[in-house]
Amino acid sequence: MVHRSAGTNACEFVTVAALRAAQLMRGCRALVPEYEKSVLTAQAEVAAGKVQALPRADSLSKTGR
């Protein structure tokens, strides 16, 4: 198990790592040294800051509409 940094939201960490693990299982190249399992590699990428969540649409500033 890879430990997340203290400032990282646990739910976001798990969600982003799960989505990234799916990408790795489909053949995407790892951005950090690979672990035996794709899930651990994905967690390491998120913990290292190599993979981040995109900002949600509702958290972006309104454009006056």
Side-chain angles (χ1 to χ4, degrees):
M1 175 161 127
V2 177
H3 295 282
R4 61 183 171 83
S5 63
T8 306
N9 180 315
C11 185
E12 183 177 344
F13 180 84
V14 170
T15 303
V16 173
L19 292 171
R20 179 62 180 154
Q23 290 177 339
L24 291 170
M25 288 186 274
R26 286 194 305 266
C28 289
R29 190 176 313 173
L31 302 174
V32 297
E34 292 187 54
Y35 285 83
E36 187 174 322
K37 296 185 178 186
S38 299
V39 173
L40 292 178
T41 303
Q43 288 178 356
E45 289 180 344
V46 175
K50 302 284 184 174
V51 178
Q52 299 175 355
L54 292 175
R56 293 177 37 165
D58 61 344
S59 67
L60 298 175
S61 62
K62 304 285 181 186
T63 58
R65 292 185 198 176

